[in-house]
Structures are given as structure tokens and as C-alpha cells.
Amino acid sequence: MIEIKDLNVFIGDKPILEEINLNVNAGEIVALIGPNGSGKTTLSKAIMGDTRLKIRGTMLFEGNSLNKLSIDERAKKGIFLSFQSPPEIEGVNSEYFLNLIGEDADRVALFEKLKLKDKLLSKDLNQGFSGGERKKFELLQILLMNPKFLILDEIDSGLDVDSLKYIEDLLKTAKLKKKGILVVTHYNRIFSKIKPDKVYVMIKGKIVKKGGAELLDQLEEEGFEKWSK
Amino acid sequence: MNTPLLDEREKKLWFKSKERSEFQIKGPLTKEKVIQLSNFKKEPIWLKEFRLKGFEIFEKSHLPSFGPKLNWLNFEDLVYYSKPSKKTEKWEELPSDMRETFEKLGLSDKMKNISGLGLQYDSEIIFEKAKKMLEEKGIVYMSMDEAILKHPELVKKYFGTIVSSNDNKFSALNSAVWSGGTFIYVPKNIKVPFPLHTYFRINMEGFGQFERTLIIVDEGSEVTYVEGCTAPLHSKSTLHAAVVELIALKNSKVKYITLQNWSKNVLNIGTKRAFAKENSFVQWIDGNFGSGVTMKYPGIYLQGKKARGEVISIAFVSSNQNIDSGARMIHLAPETTSNIISKTVSSGKGVSTFRGTLKIFESADDVTAKIQCDSLLLNDSIANAIPNILIHNKTASVNHEAKTSNIDDEKLMYLMSRGVDRTSAESMIAFGFIRDFVRELPMEYALELQRLIDIDMGGHENAEN
């Protein structure tokens, strides 16, 4: 589904990511794990097409190059990035925005399912939302847009145990529906029930280790220090 | 000293009539022509004298020493008066970009008839209905020319007292050759039940170049007035110099909303002043989208204790535009409050300047005043902020903020990552940026404005590519 080959990412002249190779296939849950500041969010944004980043290397989605596509074109191809910190968009009403991105979906049912309060609809997008509400709103948008490939950047931070269960359900369903899922996290709480098919460990802008779910246990015991020399 | 109406020889000398046989006054402007205009309009002596005094000041005064250069303006070449004709331009004769904009705004059906100066809006029935309702409450709402004849005592009491002909060269010119504009009087303790707007009377009189508006709001009353519209207006005239005088008596509330979208050939200079008496609240809500050059600084003289004044202005400036706008707040009485909010969105190679004057006199104790001017920049545009703050009373609490920012890339990326294209995302963010302004608009205008901004930003995007 998504293939990243020899990807180097710069901000200005400063290298942020070096020689990244990463694959996510349809129906796969892939963990990208690493300490804070290791470059995970940068990689997520590079896949989405952040224009502030300079890119060298190849990114393929369903066999086609992403490099020249704008952010919205990538979104329309079925790539979704759930933001670690969704920004407040002043003056854009939440309900208006939800209608814009997913007109046909049964929003009322989804609101109930996610235990979201209706009053959020009258607010501006992400403005005056609690941390948890912002994350749930990201989940809601995934359900409305029904993307093929999901990047979930620290999706569980700020969420309570009930909502965590909801994310686990979402991962299960997405896997069944043959979607590709990249779970970006610095902490393996999210994988207590659902194991990833593959794990990439990122430290200081490099993938230092690739393996199966067993890597998570190893990390749990030894921490990141072992790889960060 | 009534001069008879013009004979054919004079017409040829002074007024260019061409194939349309309408009454026109062309430059160079002379005392005689001012007299002729007054006679043509069958005005009382006091008004004729007022015009002549205005003309005298106009001749003596200089162009503004600040702001956009105006020395290219040739007063000799201007048309100063042209009798509004009912003749309308054909829809097909309009420039295609304007037709497209009307279509995008969803207004094309209603506005197939466009006159040289104004939109022809199918509102005669609404207007008659509204007028009847207003008359029952004693509210006077008519053209300034009509008010001169029908309410001479009211007009005479305030006309020219709030904006003096001495204010600037253009207010003097307006005094000399003004025509058209609106007169409103709201009697004591009346709340006007709906916003009064120029839509109501455009098809009767058309827009003038030198409009003169006077609004008198008596004690305890409230009114909202909306001038202009978001739809683009094509004008054949180079100079538009309006004067608006507004007086808010004790405990009254007045909101004056302007939406200006002139074509880019227009130099738009407005002199707008208000007197705010005890415990009254005056708001100038000023939206500028069109014109090539605009100079406009709505002012409020806070004359009565606890009077409040607010100017919220926005400007969308793109290439070939120079918008110089702002506000003047003059605190003359104690416990008065003022608030200036200016928001500018600049794209292309446009220039926008905020010019704000805040003056607190010694007599005004415990004043609270706030100035906030924010600019949002796209591409190579220029935004200036020139505040001028003079405080002569130590008890004043003054707060001044100025901020220039670019469109936040993170917000742009967020919206685009949900499939929104760049132009729409930018216009959504710009709309959010001017929310203080939008909040003050009646609902239907807010919706129109959003569509206008979408079109505006879309145009800029196309121009870049």
C-alpha cells in the first residue's frame, strides 16, 4: 500500500530524517515507535505532503509516486493523518466542517458511539475542545472520510480507558477492511490488546530496528537507550 | 439671487451632455456651476450658501499630507454631478468578471439590471412595505435631497455640524457638489425593528459620487444602517467622496455598517464622523473589498459621560490596491470607552495601511481605550500600521496591540489533509481572521461575505498560477 524508499527529509538545510525505508501493506497494523523528538511526527507529515519539509527519496502509494501531489490530493487518494495536536481553526464552525468533509455519513450515530457532545457542533473547529475531545474528533473524521491508509499520530494521548477501547475496535475493524494503518507512538499502551504486524523503531531520525510485535516486549524491558548510541 | 435654469448655450459651455440629454456638471468647477447645481435642485438659500462656502474652502485647501499619493487626480476633468437616470445598462454589457461574480454570489437573477452607478435591486415592494411600517413609528427614512424639502428644520439643525467643510479638501468638495445619500431620523425611545439598508432605495435613486448622509438618533433609540453591499459595483466615476454625519443622543445605540466593493478604477474617500452623547453607543462597522485607492477613517467624538464608541474595519487588499483606513476616537467626556479593531488581509502586491488616532482630552477622566490592528499577509503584500495616540489625562487606561502574521501553515495543512484545496483552506482561515467583523453583520450579509471571500481568494490563486 505505502512504500517509502531511501527517504531523506530536511527543514531548510537541516537533515531531520535519514535513509528511511518503511512499508505498510493493506490489512496491516504497523507501529512506528520511538522517544519524543525522534522524528516520528516529521515522517507522518512528510507522507501527508507537508510543504515545509524538503524531501529526497521515494514515497509510493498503491504503486504511484506521492512526491508531486499536494496535501489535499493525497487526502483525496485516501491518505489520512490524525494530528498529534489538532490546531484550533478560528472562524470555521465544526458542524460546517464535518458536512464539508463527509456529507453522507450518519453523524448522529457516530456522535453517540464516540460519546461526543452535540454542543461541540456549534463551536469552532477544535476551539474550546478538551484534549480528549480533539482526539475523538479526529477519530470521527476518520469514520466520515473512510480513508484507505491511516496515520495515527499519538492517537491515544489524552484519552480515557473507555476511549482507548474504542481505538482498539477501530484498529480491528480497519484491519478487517484491509486498510493500511501506521500507528505512531512513543509508548506501547495502545498495543495491550491488539498486536501490530510490524514494528519500526525510530531514534534520532533513523530507523534503528525493524521487527515483529516481540520488539515491543523487548522495548518494554530495556527501554530505548539500548539503540540510542 | 435665483438664476434661471440653463439655456442651451450655457449647457454647451458647462455641461457635457452627449447623446444622453441629462443634466451634468463637468470640471473645472466654478462658483457659477455650484449655484447652477443648487438652482437645478431647487434648494433653499441656506443650502446654496452652504455649498458656496464649501466650494471656497475646497479651492483654498490642499490635498491630504498623508496616505496614498493623490496628485494624479485632475479636478478639472471630473464630472461633479450627473442626474441619476433610470436608464440601466444591459446585463450583457457588463464586464465578464463582474457577471461571473454575480453568478457565483447567486445574485444574477435579482440583479440583471445594473445602472452605471448602482445595482438595480428588485426591492420596490419590500421598500414600500418597510416604509409604511417605519412611518407608523415616526421614523423618517428617505433620500437626503427629499429630506431637505420635507424636514428642513431637522436637517438644518445638524447638517454640516458633525463633519465640517473644513475637515478636509474632500469634505469641502462634497459640501459644494453633494447629491444623494440618506437621511434617517429615529424619534425618542424607538427601536428600529430591522436593519435599514441602501438596497431598499438603490433602484429609486442610484448611488451618487458625492453622497451626503445624515443620521439622527434621538434619546433612548436604536438603529442599524447598512450601506452598500458585497456585490461588486462598477462605477464610471473616478472619484467617490462621501460624507456621513451621525448623531447619537443620550442612551441611544447606532450601528453603521459599510460594505464597499467598488471597481478598481475608483478613488474612494469617505469622511465619516459621529457625535456620541451621554451613555450612547456608536459603532462604525466598515468592510472594504474594492476600489483602487481608499482613504477612510471613521471618527467618533465621545462627548457625553459614559459614551461608547467602536470602529471595526476590515480590508481585503490585492494587487493594484492601496487601502488606507483606520479610525479616530476623540474622548472629550469622562468614563467614555472606545475600541478600535482593524483587520487586513493582503494578497498579491497590495498595500494596506492602518491609521488610527486616539485622543484623550484633559476633561476626560477614567477613559478606557483599546486599539488592535492585525494583518494577515499572503505573498509579497505590504501592511503598515501608523497609530497616533495622544493622552492628556493620567487616569486613562489605554491598550494597544499590533500584529502581523502569515497564514498559519499548520492550520492550512490540517484543513488540506481533510481534502480541502489550498484556496478554500486559505479563505476559511481568512474568514476566521475577520470574525470580529462578521459577528456584527446581519446573517444574510455574513453569508454573502463568505462567498465573496471565496471568490476573492480564488481569484488571487488563479492570478498566481
Side-chain angles (χ1 to χ4, degrees), chain A residues 45 48 50 52 71-72 75-76 80-81 83 87-88 90-92 97 101 124 126-127 138 141 145, chain B residues 408-422 428-429 431-433 435 450 454:
Chain A
K45 289 189 167 168
M48 198 68 233
D50 191 339
R52 290 166 289 187
I71 302 167
D72 55 313
K76 283 180 188 129
F80 186 99
L81 168 62
F83 277 51
E88 297 181 6
E90 197 183 42
V92 176
F97 187 69
I101 63 168
D124 284 350
N126 296 326
Q127 202 166 47
E138 295 292 284
Q141 291 177 57
M145 294 185 73
Chain B
D408 186 329
D409 286 324
E410 187 73 5
K411 290 181 184 177
L412 202 57
M413 176 167 183
Y414 184 77
L415 293 173
M416 288 176 76
S417 77
R418 307 299 141 97
V420 178
D421 65 76
R422 173 174 282 269
M428 284 162 94
I429 292 168
F431 196 71
F433 177 75
R435 60 176 334 182
Q450 182 150 30
D454 287 345

Side-chain angles (χ1 to χ4, degrees), chain A residues 12 34 36 42 50 62 68 70 73 79 86 95 97 105 120 138 159 196 216:
Chain A
N36 287 327
T42 303
D50 191 339
E62 297 180 320
K68 285 193 175 150
S70 64
E73 285 166 337
I79 299 176
E95 185 171 20
F97 187 69
L120 293 182
E138 295 292 284
L159 286 181
L216 291 175

Side-chain angles (χ1 to χ4, degrees), chain A residues 8-104:
Chain A
N8 290 273
V9 175
F10 306 82
I11 296 178
D13 295 329
K14 196 182 162 207
I16 306 293
L17 303 179
E18 285 175 54
E19 297 299 314
I20 304 292
N21 287 285
L22 183 147
N23 289 315
V24 182
N25 297 318
E28 254 184 7
I29 297 174
V30 174
L32 177 64
I33 193 159
N36 287 327
S38 56
K40 307 184 299 294
T41 295
T42 303
L43 180 58
S44 310
K45 289 189 167 168
I47 298 170
M48 198 68 233
D50 191 339
T51 47
R52 290 166 289 187
L53 304 172
K54 264 199 246 164
I55 303 291
R56 212 172 60 212
T58 312
M59 289 188 277
L60 300 177
F61 181 62
E62 297 180 320
N64 301 312
S65 173
L66 285 177
N67 292 33
K68 285 193 175 150
L69 297 184
S70 64
I71 302 167
D72 55 313
E73 285 166 337
R74 296 182 199 205
K76 283 180 188 129
K77 291 233 180 288
I79 299 176
F80 186 99
L81 168 62
S82 151
F83 277 51
Q84 182 178 4
S85 322
E88 297 181 6
I89 315 280
E90 197 183 42
V92 176
N93 171 265
S94 301
E95 185 171 20
Y96 166 81
F97 187 69
L98 293 179
N99 288 337
L100 195 72
I101 63 168
E103 231 170 316
D104 310 322

Side-chain angles (χ1 to χ4, degrees), chain B residues 124-272:
Chain B
E124 202 149 353
I125 300 155
I126 310 168
F127 178 68
E128 285 309 321
K129 216 171 163 182
K131 215 172 169 184
K132 213 180 147 202
M133 228 167 117
L134 296 172
E135 273 165 10
E136 279 164 12
K137 293 181 186 256
I139 299 159
V140 182
Y141 176 47
M142 53 180 59
S143 80
M144 198 66 233
D145 300 79
E146 197 183 345
I148 298 278
L149 303 172
K150 291 193 177 157
H151 298 277
E153 62 304 317
L154 254 179
V155 173
K156 217 175 148 181
K157 189 173 170 190
Y158 295 106
F159 193 90
T161 62
I162 300 151
V163 175
S164 137
S165 302
N166 280 309
D167 192 292
N168 61 74
K169 190 174 182 74
F170 295 93
S171 71
L173 177 61
N174 178 288
S175 296
V177 297
W178 75 270
S179 191
T182 302
F183 177 77
I184 296 171
Y185 171 70
V186 186
K188 278 185 190 173
N189 301 314
I190 297 282
K191 283 184 186 168
V192 181
F194 45 83
L196 303 178
H197 42 86
T198 37
Y199 267 178
F200 283 172
R201 36 157 288 260
I202 283 168
N203 65 340
M204 316 229 154
E205 286 111 25
F207 278 123
Q209 271 178 270
F210 299 100
E211 290 204 342
R212 186 137 194 142
T213 287
L214 172 61
I215 298 176
I216 306 159
V217 187
D218 218 326
E219 295 180 9
S221 295
E222 282 180 33
V223 67
T224 295
Y225 178 68
V226 187
E227 164 196 65
C229 51
T230 56
L233 288 178
H234 179 70
S235 172
K236 288 171 182 162
S237 322
T238 315
L239 175 64
H240 283 248
V243 165
V244 180
E245 300 182 282
L246 198 161
I247 178 150
L249 296 170
K250 195 173 164 184
N251 299 327
S252 67
K253 273 188 185 177
V254 193
K255 185 194 277 192
Y256 191 109
I257 300 171
T258 302
L259 299 164
Q260 178 272 114
N261 198 2
W262 290 116
S263 42
K264 293 210 175 146
N265 59 316
V266 169
L267 163 61
N268 180 40
I269 298 184
T271 308
K272 297 181 167 178

Side-chain angles (χ1 to χ4, degrees), chain B residues 327 353-358 371 373 384-390 400-402:
Chain B
T353 303
F354 166 81
R355 219 176 278 279
T357 301
L358 171 68
I371 303 179
C373 62
N384 309 304
I386 308 171
N388 177 20
I389 301 173
L390 300 157
H400 172 226
E401 284 171 43

Side-chain angles (χ1 to χ4, degrees), chain B residues 344 346 373-378 381-385 401-407 433:
Chain B
T344 315
S346 321
C373 62
D374 300 334
S375 326
L376 186 64
L377 301 181
L378 297 110
S381 46
I382 298 168
N384 309 304
E401 284 171 43
K403 207 169 63 205
T404 300
S405 52
N406 296 96
I407 282 203
F433 177 75

Side-chain angles (χ1 to χ4, degrees), chain B residues 282-340:
Chain B
V282 174
Q283 285 176 292
W284 294 109
I285 311 294
D286 209 69
N288 297 293
F289 306 96
S291 86
V293 177
T294 284
M295 291 179 80
K296 193 159 53 168
Y297 323 95
I300 303 174
Y301 294 83
L302 298 145
Q303 298 174 326
K305 197 177 165 183
K306 291 194 173 179
R308 287 188 293 155
E310 185 166 64
V311 177
I312 304 177
S313 63
I314 58 155
F316 274 71
V317 186
S318 55
S319 291
N320 305 319
Q321 280 188 298
N322 187 342
I323 307 277
D324 204 278
S325 63
R328 289 180 188 174
M329 288 290 183
I330 316 294
H331 290 261
L332 298 152
E335 294 174 61
T336 46
T337 312
S338 73
N339 189 22
I340 298 174

